[in-house]
Amino acid sequence: MLVLAVDTATPAVTAGVVELTADAVLLRAARVEHDARKHAELLMPAVQAVCGDAGTPLGSLDAVVVGTGPGPFTGLRVGMVTAAALGDALGVPVHGVCSLDAIAVDAAGEGPLLVVTDARRREVYWAAYDAGGSRVDGPHVQAPATVAERARELGAVAAAGGSAGLVGLPVRPPQSPSPTGLVAVAASALRAGAAPEPLEPLYLRRPDAVEPGARKRVSA
């Protein structure tokens, strides 16, 4: 099975073609570019590039996997809308996965782990994982000092993700989701041929824009 994996939940714009077999997740091609302000400009050229590198036309893909965050509104929407549009055009299923879970797949090892990424506004997105990479808490959005205190309570021994250095733990790679990490999170559903759940972005914050209130009366 050939799977396109994309993620725009972090400053990295990630795209890759991954071969999923009965017992392995194999990378065919990947492109990762770091620019938090150019997700829309960079993603589709990256998708076309990885398909070319892998010798896999878009029409040969069997599924799409996309990171659903948590992440900032604008960047996250780029990846999810692109994945949904490709799935619709190609007639293939689109599976959404938590982007922090994908980082945890690559970072899992000795002891409990935190995955921490930039949420802006002096806050971070984070989730906690056991040594096998299974999520046990989160995702949340909080100040780094609060996360550091929670890390001690959870007994975390390391942190991964782009903001891992803010919580006082030894830092492990990667900083952003890899194509193989994204597909590994969805692997059981893909292998089983399960219908994907509706795509739901993990914003964790309410949007800044609000509906305007009633007009104020102007006295004569």
Side-chain angles (χ1 to χ4, degrees):
M1 176 184 298
L2 293 176
V3 183
L4 174 68
V6 298
D7 187 276
T8 56
T10 74
V13 179
T14 298
V17 174
V18 176
E19 181 180 359
L20 181 67
T21 69
D23 56 4
V25 179
L26 307 171
L27 182 65
R28 287 281 197 90
R31 293 289 178 98
V32 180
E33 299 198 46
H34 294 267
D35 193 325
R37 297 182 181 276
K38 291 188 176 181
H39 290 98
E41 294 89 341
L42 296 173
L43 182 57
M44 271 310 299
V47 168
Q48 293 170 327
V50 295
C51 287
D53 292 345
T56 304
L58 279 171
S60 299
L61 296 169
D62 299 299
V64 178
V65 173
V66 59
T68 60
F73 289 87
T74 302
L76 185 54
R77 279 197 297 265
V78 169
M80 295 187 67
V81 169
T82 300
L86 285 170
D88 184 62
L90 300 173
V92 298
V94 180
H95 291 261
V97 300
C98 175
S99 302
L100 304 183
D101 292 356
I103 295 174
V105 167
D106 292 330
E110 295 292 329
L113 170 78
L114 293 191
V115 175
V116 189
T117 61
D118 184 19
R120 304 176 184 173
R121 304 182 192 174
R122 299 182 181 179
E123 291 183 319
V124 294
Y125 300 117
W126 72 277
Y129 299 82
D130 62 21
S134 296
R135 185 166 10 124
V136 296
D137 195 4
H140 305 289
V141 56
Q142 291 176 312
T146 302
V147 180
E149 181 177 348
R150 184 70 178 130
R152 290 191 292 271
E153 296 171 357
L154 292 167
V157 299
S163 295
L166 299 177
V167 297
L169 292 171
V171 175
R172 292 179 189 166
Q175 293 190 357
S176 58
S178 70
T180 51
L182 291 161
V183 173
V185 177
S188 59
L190 289 165
R191 290 187 177 115
E197 297 291 330
L199 291 179
E200 294 287 346
L202 291 168
Y203 291 135
L204 302 190
R205 284 193 183 120
R206 295 181 62 81
D208 291 332
V210 296
E211 292 185 13
R215 292 188 178 183
K216 296 180 180 180
R217 294 188 62 182
V218 179
S219 58

